[in-house]
Amino acid sequence: MPNVLGVDHIAIAVKDLDAATQLWKEMGLRVGSREVVEDQGVEVQMMYAGATRIELVFPIREDSPIQAFLDKRGAGLHHLALAVDDCAAATQELVDREVRMINTEPKTGAHQTRIAFVHPKATSGVLTELVEGGEGFGS
Ligand code: CO
């Protein structure tokens, strides 16, 4: 099974990145860096709850999966990201076990991490991201 090192981050889909950043700042979170991830069609604002990262995710394109999520369900919890030591190996292992994946090969995430999404149908309805090279996990 994948070697899970911890929770890398929890992601929240938002309709207004500046407003959400301000809101969560007022909730006591520390404001981290902001980055566009072209590959995913999103802009990401990293926030910190102590050492735990909360990712505010905003669509930058109409065809972004985040836009579809917002249209369908509105703002809210979007995915759970698990830190793994080897994203390619973890992904291959799940593919071999016929776990339903959104990405059957790793892609590039924020901060040059390697990521792959597991389909929420395979994980109790929670969209789950595998991340290699995340902050605090040996990158
Ligand atoms: Co993520």
Side-chain angles (χ1 to χ4, degrees):
M1 57 194 82
N3 187 19
V4 174
L5 309 174
V7 173
D8 186 85
H9 61 270
I10 297 161
I12 302 172
V14 302
K15 290 185 170 178
D16 181 328
L17 199 52
D18 288 334
T21 302
Q22 186 59 30
L23 174 79
W24 285 99
K25 185 180 172 189
E26 286 167 9
M27 284 294 293
L29 270 58
R30 188 161 56 78
V31 180
S33 61
R34 190 178 283 202
E35 183 181 348
V36 169
V37 185
E38 277 297 339
D39 206 33
Q40 304 288 321
V42 296
E43 188 167 11
V44 174
Q45 173 67 55
M46 204 53 86
M47 306 293 289
Y48 292 85
T52 302
R53 298 193 298 163
I54 310 284
E55 204 181 74
L56 304 177
V57 190
F58 176 76
I60 54 168
R61 291 194 298 266
E62 275 300 314
D63 67 349
S64 164
I66 295 291
Q67 186 62 56
F69 179 92
L70 288 172
D71 290 345
K72 198 171 161 194
R73 302 168 65 168
L77 276 177
H78 185 261
H79 65 266
L80 169 69
L82 300 175
V84 295
D85 61 344
D86 185 335
C87 189
T91 301
Q92 190 57 51
E93 194 165 334
L94 294 176
V95 167
D96 289 348
R97 278 166 42 201
E98 298 185 350
V99 172
R100 189 163 165 194
M101 302 293 291
I102 290 174
N103 307 117
T104 53
E105 286 177 11
K107 303 177 88 168
T108 300
H111 305 290
Q112 297 303 309
T113 50
R114 300 298 288 163
I115 64 168
F117 282 95
V118 185
H119 197 283
K121 285 224 157 54
T123 43
S124 313
V126 179
L127 176 60
T128 302
E129 178 184 8
L130 306 173
V131 186
E132 175 188 343
E135 206 174 302
F137 293 101
S139 57

